[in-house]
Short mmCIF file of all heavy atoms in Angstrom, two decimals:
data_model
loop_
_atom_site.label_atom_id
_atom_site.label_comp_id
_atom_site.label_asym_id
_atom_site.label_seq_id
_atom_site.Cartn_x
_atom_site.Cartn_y
_atom_site.Cartn_z
N SER G 69 -16.45 32.84 15.94
CA SER G 69 -17.85 33.15 16.24
C SER G 69 -18.17 34.64 16.08
O SER G 69 -19.29 35.06 16.34
CB SER G 69 -18.20 32.69 17.66
OG SER G 69 -17.43 33.40 18.61
N GLY G 70 -17.19 35.43 15.67
CA GLY G 70 -17.45 36.85 15.39
C GLY G 70 -17.16 37.81 16.53
O GLY G 70 -17.38 39.01 16.40
N LEU G 71 -16.67 37.31 17.66
CA LEU G 71 -16.32 38.20 18.77
C LEU G 71 -15.06 38.99 18.43
O LEU G 71 -14.10 38.44 17.89
CB LEU G 71 -16.07 37.42 20.06
CG LEU G 71 -17.25 36.74 20.72
CD1 LEU G 71 -16.78 35.91 21.90
CD2 LEU G 71 -18.25 37.77 21.18
N SER G 72 -15.07 40.26 18.76
CA SER G 72 -13.89 41.09 18.60
C SER G 72 -12.96 40.83 19.79
O SER G 72 -13.41 40.78 20.93
CB SER G 72 -14.31 42.55 18.56
OG SER G 72 -13.17 43.37 18.49
N LEU G 73 -11.68 40.64 19.50
CA LEU G 73 -10.73 40.33 20.56
C LEU G 73 -9.53 41.25 20.47
O LEU G 73 -8.93 41.41 19.41
CB LEU G 73 -10.27 38.87 20.44
CG LEU G 73 -9.32 38.33 21.49
CD1 LEU G 73 -9.92 38.44 22.89
CD2 LEU G 73 -8.98 36.87 21.21
N GLY G 74 -9.21 41.89 21.59
CA GLY G 74 -8.02 42.72 21.69
C GLY G 74 -7.06 42.08 22.68
O GLY G 74 -7.47 41.59 23.72
N LEU G 75 -5.79 42.06 22.33
CA LEU G 75 -4.75 41.44 23.15
C LEU G 75 -3.65 42.46 23.39
O LEU G 75 -3.34 43.26 22.51
CB LEU G 75 -4.16 40.22 22.43
CG LEU G 75 -5.15 39.16 21.99
CD1 LEU G 75 -4.50 38.22 20.98
CD2 LEU G 75 -5.64 38.38 23.19
N ALA G 76 -3.03 42.41 24.56
CA ALA G 76 -1.95 43.34 24.87
C ALA G 76 -0.91 42.70 25.78
O ALA G 76 -1.23 41.89 26.64
CB ALA G 76 -2.52 44.58 25.54
N ALA G 77 0.34 43.10 25.55
CA ALA G 77 1.47 42.69 26.39
C ALA G 77 2.58 43.72 26.20
O ALA G 77 2.62 44.41 25.18
CB ALA G 77 1.97 41.31 26.01
N SER G 78 3.45 43.81 27.19
CA SER G 78 4.58 44.73 27.07
C SER G 78 5.76 44.19 27.86
O SER G 78 5.61 43.26 28.66
CB SER G 78 4.20 46.13 27.56
OG SER G 78 3.89 46.10 28.94
N GLY G 79 6.92 44.77 27.60
CA GLY G 79 8.10 44.37 28.33
C GLY G 79 9.27 45.27 27.99
O GLY G 79 9.27 45.95 26.96
N PRO G 80 10.26 45.28 28.86
CA PRO G 80 11.45 46.09 28.61
C PRO G 80 12.17 45.65 27.33
O PRO G 80 12.32 44.44 27.08
CB PRO G 80 12.33 45.84 29.83
CG PRO G 80 11.40 45.34 30.89
CD PRO G 80 10.33 44.60 30.16
N VAL G 81 12.61 46.60 26.56
CA VAL G 81 13.33 46.31 25.32
C VAL G 81 14.54 45.42 25.58
O VAL G 81 14.81 44.50 24.83
CB VAL G 81 13.74 47.64 24.62
CG1 VAL G 81 14.71 47.38 23.47
CG2 VAL G 81 12.50 48.38 24.13
N VAL G 82 15.24 45.67 26.68
CA VAL G 82 16.45 44.88 26.98
C VAL G 82 16.12 43.41 27.25
O VAL G 82 16.98 42.55 27.05
CB VAL G 82 17.27 45.48 28.16
CG1 VAL G 82 17.81 46.84 27.79
CG2 VAL G 82 16.44 45.55 29.42
N GLU G 83 14.91 43.10 27.69
CA GLU G 83 14.50 41.71 27.89
C GLU G 83 14.08 41.05 26.58
O GLU G 83 13.83 39.85 26.53
CB GLU G 83 13.35 41.61 28.89
CG GLU G 83 13.74 41.86 30.32
CD GLU G 83 12.58 41.64 31.27
OE1 GLU G 83 11.70 40.80 30.99
OE2 GLU G 83 12.53 42.34 32.30
N LEU G 84 13.97 41.85 25.53
CA LEU G 84 13.53 41.35 24.24
C LEU G 84 14.66 41.37 23.21
O LEU G 84 14.45 41.67 22.04
CB LEU G 84 12.33 42.17 23.74
CG LEU G 84 11.10 42.05 24.62
CD1 LEU G 84 10.07 43.12 24.29
CD2 LEU G 84 10.49 40.65 24.49
N ALA G 85 15.87 41.04 23.67
CA ALA G 85 17.06 41.00 22.81
C ALA G 85 17.27 42.34 22.12
O ALA G 85 17.62 42.41 20.95
CB ALA G 85 16.96 39.87 21.78
N GLY G 86 17.02 43.42 22.85
CA GLY G 86 17.15 44.74 22.25
C GLY G 86 17.94 45.70 23.11
O GLY G 86 18.44 45.35 24.18
N ARG G 87 18.03 46.91 22.62
CA ARG G 87 18.69 47.98 23.34
C ARG G 87 18.05 49.30 22.94
O ARG G 87 17.46 49.41 21.87
CB ARG G 87 20.19 47.98 23.08
CG ARG G 87 20.55 48.20 21.63
CD ARG G 87 22.02 48.03 21.39
NE ARG G 87 22.30 48.20 19.97
CZ ARG G 87 23.44 48.63 19.50
NH1 ARG G 87 24.43 48.92 20.32
NH2 ARG G 87 23.63 48.76 18.21
N VAL G 88 18.20 50.28 23.83
CA VAL G 88 17.69 51.61 23.54
C VAL G 88 18.88 52.50 23.22
O VAL G 88 19.85 52.56 23.96
CB VAL G 88 16.90 52.18 24.75
CG1 VAL G 88 16.44 53.59 24.46
CG2 VAL G 88 15.71 51.28 25.05
N LEU G 89 18.79 53.16 22.08
CA LEU G 89 19.86 54.03 21.60
C LEU G 89 19.42 55.48 21.72
O LEU G 89 18.34 55.85 21.26
CB LEU G 89 20.18 53.72 20.13
CG LEU G 89 20.49 52.26 19.81
CD1 LEU G 89 20.51 52.05 18.31
CD2 LEU G 89 21.81 51.87 20.43
N ASP G 90 20.26 56.30 22.36
CA ASP G 90 19.99 57.73 22.45
C ASP G 90 20.65 58.42 21.27
O ASP G 90 21.85 58.69 21.28
CB ASP G 90 20.54 58.31 23.77
CG ASP G 90 19.67 57.96 24.95
OD1 ASP G 90 18.44 58.09 24.80
OD2 ASP G 90 20.20 57.55 25.99
N LEU G 91 19.88 58.66 20.23
CA LEU G 91 20.36 59.34 19.02
C LEU G 91 19.60 60.64 18.88
O LEU G 91 18.48 60.67 18.39
CB LEU G 91 20.15 58.46 17.79
CG LEU G 91 20.81 57.08 17.83
CD1 LEU G 91 20.37 56.23 16.67
CD2 LEU G 91 22.32 57.23 17.86
N TRP G 92 20.21 61.72 19.37
CA TRP G 92 19.51 63.00 19.40
C TRP G 92 18.96 63.32 18.04
O TRP G 92 19.64 63.11 17.05
CB TRP G 92 20.46 64.11 19.86
CG TRP G 92 19.71 65.37 20.12
CD1 TRP G 92 19.09 65.72 21.26
CD2 TRP G 92 19.49 66.42 19.21
NE1 TRP G 92 18.49 66.93 21.13
CE2 TRP G 92 18.72 67.39 19.86
CE3 TRP G 92 19.85 66.65 17.88
CZ2 TRP G 92 18.30 68.56 19.25
CZ3 TRP G 92 19.43 67.81 17.26
CH2 TRP G 92 18.68 68.76 17.96
N PRO G 93 17.74 63.72 17.88
CA PRO G 93 16.77 64.07 18.93
C PRO G 93 15.85 62.92 19.31
O PRO G 93 14.83 63.14 19.94
CB PRO G 93 15.98 65.19 18.27
CG PRO G 93 15.91 64.79 16.83
CD PRO G 93 17.24 64.12 16.55
N HIS G 94 16.17 61.71 18.91
CA HIS G 94 15.27 60.58 19.14
C HIS G 94 15.96 59.50 19.98
O HIS G 94 17.16 59.35 19.95
CB HIS G 94 14.83 59.94 17.82
CG HIS G 94 14.19 60.89 16.87
ND1 HIS G 94 12.93 61.40 17.09
CD2 HIS G 94 14.62 61.44 15.72
CE1 HIS G 94 12.62 62.21 16.11
NE2 HIS G 94 13.63 62.25 15.25
N ARG G 95 15.11 58.75 20.68
CA ARG G 95 15.55 57.52 21.32
C ARG G 95 14.97 56.39 20.49
O ARG G 95 13.78 56.37 20.19
CB ARG G 95 15.03 57.44 22.75
CG ARG G 95 15.65 58.51 23.65
CD ARG G 95 15.16 58.36 25.03
NE ARG G 95 15.63 57.05 25.49
CZ ARG G 95 15.68 56.69 26.75
NH1 ARG G 95 15.27 57.50 27.69
NH2 ARG G 95 16.10 55.50 27.10
N LEU G 96 15.80 55.45 20.10
CA LEU G 96 15.37 54.34 19.28
C LEU G 96 15.47 53.03 20.05
O LEU G 96 16.44 52.82 20.79
CB LEU G 96 16.23 54.21 18.03
CG LEU G 96 16.17 55.34 17.01
CD1 LEU G 96 17.15 55.07 15.88
CD2 LEU G 96 14.77 55.50 16.47
N ALA G 97 14.50 52.17 19.86
CA ALA G 97 14.58 50.80 20.36
C ALA G 97 15.05 49.94 19.20
O ALA G 97 14.44 49.97 18.13
CB ALA G 97 13.23 50.33 20.86
N GLU G 98 16.13 49.24 19.40
CA GLU G 98 16.60 48.29 18.40
C GLU G 98 16.28 46.90 18.94
O GLU G 98 16.68 46.55 20.05
CB GLU G 98 18.11 48.44 18.20
CG GLU G 98 18.65 47.50 17.16
CD GLU G 98 20.16 47.59 17.04
OE1 GLU G 98 20.85 47.03 17.93
OE2 GLU G 98 20.62 48.22 16.10
N LEU G 99 15.55 46.14 18.15
CA LEU G 99 15.09 44.81 18.59
C LEU G 99 15.70 43.71 17.74
O LEU G 99 15.64 43.78 16.51
CB LEU G 99 13.56 44.73 18.49
CG LEU G 99 12.80 45.73 19.35
CD1 LEU G 99 11.37 45.85 18.88
CD2 LEU G 99 12.86 45.30 20.79
N ALA G 100 16.27 42.74 18.40
CA ALA G 100 16.82 41.55 17.74
C ALA G 100 17.84 41.92 16.67
O ALA G 100 18.04 41.17 15.72
CB ALA G 100 15.71 40.69 17.17
N GLY G 101 18.46 43.10 16.78
CA GLY G 101 19.45 43.52 15.82
C GLY G 101 18.90 43.80 14.43
O GLY G 101 19.65 44.00 13.48
N VAL G 102 17.56 43.83 14.30
CA VAL G 102 16.94 43.98 12.98
C VAL G 102 15.98 45.16 12.91
O VAL G 102 15.97 45.91 11.93
CB VAL G 102 16.16 42.69 12.61
CG1 VAL G 102 15.46 42.82 11.29
CG2 VAL G 102 17.10 41.49 12.61
N PHE G 103 15.18 45.35 13.93
CA PHE G 103 14.12 46.35 13.90
C PHE G 103 14.51 47.58 14.70
O PHE G 103 15.08 47.46 15.78
CB PHE G 103 12.82 45.77 14.48
CG PHE G 103 12.42 44.47 13.83
CD1 PHE G 103 12.62 43.27 14.49
CD2 PHE G 103 11.87 44.46 12.57
CE1 PHE G 103 12.28 42.08 13.90
CE2 PHE G 103 11.52 43.26 11.96
CZ PHE G 103 11.72 42.07 12.63
N ALA G 104 14.18 48.75 14.20
CA ALA G 104 14.42 50.00 14.93
C ALA G 104 13.10 50.76 15.00
O ALA G 104 12.39 50.90 14.01
CB ALA G 104 15.46 50.85 14.22
N LEU G 105 12.77 51.21 16.20
CA LEU G 105 11.49 51.88 16.43
C LEU G 105 11.71 53.10 17.30
O LEU G 105 12.23 52.99 18.41
CB LEU G 105 10.53 50.90 17.11
CG LEU G 105 9.10 51.34 17.33
CD1 LEU G 105 8.39 51.64 16.01
CD2 LEU G 105 8.34 50.26 18.09
N ALA G 106 11.33 54.27 16.79
CA ALA G 106 11.50 55.52 17.54
C ALA G 106 10.55 55.54 18.74
O ALA G 106 9.45 54.98 18.71
CB ALA G 106 11.22 56.72 16.65
N GLU G 107 11.00 56.20 19.81
CA GLU G 107 10.19 56.33 21.01
C GLU G 107 8.89 57.03 20.68
O GLU G 107 8.86 57.99 19.91
CB GLU G 107 10.97 57.11 22.07
CG GLU G 107 10.32 57.07 23.44
CD GLU G 107 11.21 57.69 24.50
OE1 GLU G 107 11.75 58.78 24.26
OE2 GLU G 107 11.36 57.07 25.55
N HIS G 108 7.80 56.54 21.26
CA HIS G 108 6.44 57.05 21.08
C HIS G 108 5.92 56.82 19.65
O HIS G 108 4.96 57.45 19.24
CB HIS G 108 6.32 58.54 21.44
CG HIS G 108 6.81 58.84 22.82
ND1 HIS G 108 6.22 58.33 23.94
CD2 HIS G 108 7.86 59.57 23.23
CE1 HIS G 108 6.88 58.75 25.01
NE2 HIS G 108 7.89 59.49 24.61
N HIS G 109 6.54 55.92 18.93
CA HIS G 109 6.10 55.61 17.57
C HIS G 109 5.44 54.23 17.57
O HIS G 109 5.94 53.29 18.19
CB HIS G 109 7.30 55.62 16.62
CG HIS G 109 6.93 55.36 15.20
ND1 HIS G 109 6.31 56.29 14.41
CD2 HIS G 109 7.08 54.26 14.43
CE1 HIS G 109 6.10 55.79 13.21
NE2 HIS G 109 6.55 54.55 13.20
N THR G 110 4.33 54.13 16.86
CA THR G 110 3.63 52.85 16.70
C THR G 110 3.82 52.38 15.28
O THR G 110 3.74 53.17 14.34
CB THR G 110 2.13 53.01 17.01
OG1 THR G 110 2.00 53.42 18.37
CG2 THR G 110 1.38 51.71 16.79
N GLU G 111 4.08 51.10 15.12
CA GLU G 111 4.33 50.53 13.80
C GLU G 111 3.54 49.24 13.64
O GLU G 111 3.52 48.40 14.54
CB GLU G 111 5.83 50.26 13.66
CG GLU G 111 6.26 49.74 12.33
CD GLU G 111 7.77 49.57 12.28
OE1 GLU G 111 8.47 50.60 12.30
OE2 GLU G 111 8.23 48.42 12.24
N ILE G 112 2.91 49.09 12.48
CA ILE G 112 2.24 47.83 12.15
C ILE G 112 3.34 46.79 11.95
O ILE G 112 4.38 47.07 11.34
CB ILE G 112 1.39 47.97 10.87
CG1 ILE G 112 0.34 49.07 11.04
CG2 ILE G 112 0.76 46.63 10.48
CD1 ILE G 112 -0.65 48.83 12.15
N VAL G 113 3.10 45.60 12.45
CA VAL G 113 4.13 44.55 12.42
C VAL G 113 3.45 43.24 12.03
O VAL G 113 2.25 43.07 12.20
CB VAL G 113 4.83 44.50 13.80
CG1 VAL G 113 3.89 44.08 14.88
CG2 VAL G 113 6.06 43.65 13.77
N THR G 114 4.24 42.31 11.51
CA THR G 114 3.68 41.01 11.13
C THR G 114 3.87 40.00 12.26
O THR G 114 4.69 40.19 13.16
CB THR G 114 4.37 40.44 9.87
OG1 THR G 114 5.73 40.12 10.17
CG2 THR G 114 4.29 41.43 8.70
N TYR G 115 3.12 38.95 12.17
CA TYR G 115 3.22 37.85 13.12
C TYR G 115 4.66 37.32 13.14
O TYR G 115 5.24 37.11 14.20
CB TYR G 115 2.24 36.75 12.70
CG TYR G 115 2.14 35.60 13.67
CD1 TYR G 115 1.13 35.56 14.62
CD2 TYR G 115 3.03 34.53 13.63
CE1 TYR G 115 1.02 34.50 15.51
CE2 TYR G 115 2.93 33.48 14.51
CZ TYR G 115 1.92 33.47 15.45
OH TYR G 115 1.83 32.42 16.32
N ASP G 116 5.24 37.12 11.96
CA ASP G 116 6.59 36.58 11.86
C ASP G 116 7.64 37.51 12.46
O ASP G 116 8.63 37.04 13.04
CB ASP G 116 6.95 36.27 10.40
CG ASP G 116 6.17 35.08 9.85
OD1 ASP G 116 5.71 34.24 10.65
OD2 ASP G 116 6.03 35.00 8.61
N GLU G 117 7.45 38.83 12.34
CA GLU G 117 8.40 39.77 12.93
C GLU G 117 8.38 39.70 14.45
O GLU G 117 9.43 39.70 15.09
CB GLU G 117 8.10 41.19 12.43
CG GLU G 117 8.46 41.38 10.97
CD GLU G 117 7.95 42.68 10.39
OE1 GLU G 117 6.92 43.21 10.85
OE2 GLU G 117 8.60 43.16 9.44
N VAL G 118 7.19 39.60 15.03
CA VAL G 118 7.10 39.47 16.49
C VAL G 118 7.69 38.13 16.92
O VAL G 118 8.43 38.05 17.91
CB VAL G 118 5.64 39.62 16.98
CG1 VAL G 118 5.56 39.40 18.49
CG2 VAL G 118 5.08 40.99 16.60
N ALA G 119 7.41 37.08 16.17
CA ALA G 119 7.97 35.76 16.49
C ALA G 119 9.50 35.80 16.43
O ALA G 119 10.17 35.16 17.26
CB ALA G 119 7.42 34.71 15.53
N HIS G 120 10.06 36.54 15.49
CA HIS G 120 11.52 36.67 15.39
C HIS G 120 12.09 37.32 16.65
O HIS G 120 13.12 36.87 17.18
CB HIS G 120 11.89 37.50 14.15
CG HIS G 120 13.36 37.72 13.99
ND1 HIS G 120 14.22 36.75 13.54
CD2 HIS G 120 14.12 38.81 14.26
CE1 HIS G 120 15.44 37.22 13.53
NE2 HIS G 120 15.42 38.48 13.97
N VAL G 121 11.44 38.37 17.15
CA VAL G 121 11.89 39.04 18.37
C VAL G 121 11.80 38.10 19.57
O VAL G 121 12.72 38.02 20.39
CB VAL G 121 11.10 40.35 18.61
CG1 VAL G 121 11.37 40.92 20.00
CG2 VAL G 121 11.45 41.38 17.54
N VAL G 122 10.70 37.36 19.67
CA VAL G 122 10.54 36.41 20.78
C VAL G 122 11.62 35.34 20.74
O VAL G 122 12.25 35.02 21.75
CB VAL G 122 9.12 35.77 20.77
CG1 VAL G 122 9.03 34.60 21.73
CG2 VAL G 122 8.07 36.82 21.08
N THR G 123 11.88 34.80 19.55
CA THR G 123 12.91 33.77 19.39
C THR G 123 14.29 34.31 19.76
O THR G 123 15.06 33.65 20.47
CB THR G 123 12.91 33.24 17.95
OG1 THR G 123 11.62 32.68 17.67
CG2 THR G 123 13.98 32.17 17.74
N ALA G 124 14.62 35.51 19.30
CA ALA G 124 15.92 36.12 19.61
C ALA G 124 16.05 36.38 21.11
O ALA G 124 17.12 36.15 21.69
CB ALA G 124 16.08 37.43 18.83
N ALA G 125 14.98 36.84 21.74
CA ALA G 125 15.01 37.11 23.18
C ALA G 125 15.22 35.83 23.97
O ALA G 125 16.00 35.79 24.93
CB ALA G 125 13.73 37.81 23.62
N ARG G 126 14.55 34.77 23.57
CA ARG G 126 14.71 33.48 24.27
C ARG G 126 16.12 32.91 24.05
O ARG G 126 16.71 32.36 24.97
CB ARG G 126 13.65 32.51 23.83
CG ARG G 126 12.29 32.86 24.40
CD ARG G 126 11.24 31.87 24.04
NE ARG G 126 10.03 32.12 24.80
CZ ARG G 126 8.85 31.64 24.48
NH1 ARG G 126 8.70 30.90 23.40
NH2 ARG G 126 7.79 31.92 25.22
N ALA G 127 16.66 33.06 22.86
CA ALA G 127 18.02 32.58 22.58
C ALA G 127 19.03 33.37 23.40
O ALA G 127 19.98 32.78 23.94
CB ALA G 127 18.33 32.69 21.10
#
Side-chain angles (χ1 to χ4, degrees):
S69 63
L71 291 175
S72 176
L73 183 58
L75 305 164
S78 63
V81 169
V82 296
E83 287 185 31
L84 296 166
R87 62 187 178 152
V88 177
L89 307 169
D90 283 316
L91 303 171
W92 190 86
H94 304 289
R95 293 182 64 163
L96 295 177
E98 181 184 77
L99 299 163
V102 178
F103 307 104
L105 185 61
E107 191 173 47
H108 306 296
H109 182 74
T110 298
E111 183 177 292
I112 301 299
V113 65
T114 67
Y115 186 96
D116 290 337
E117 289 169 332
V118 177
H120 178 77
V121 169
V122 169
T123 300
R126 287 183 169 162

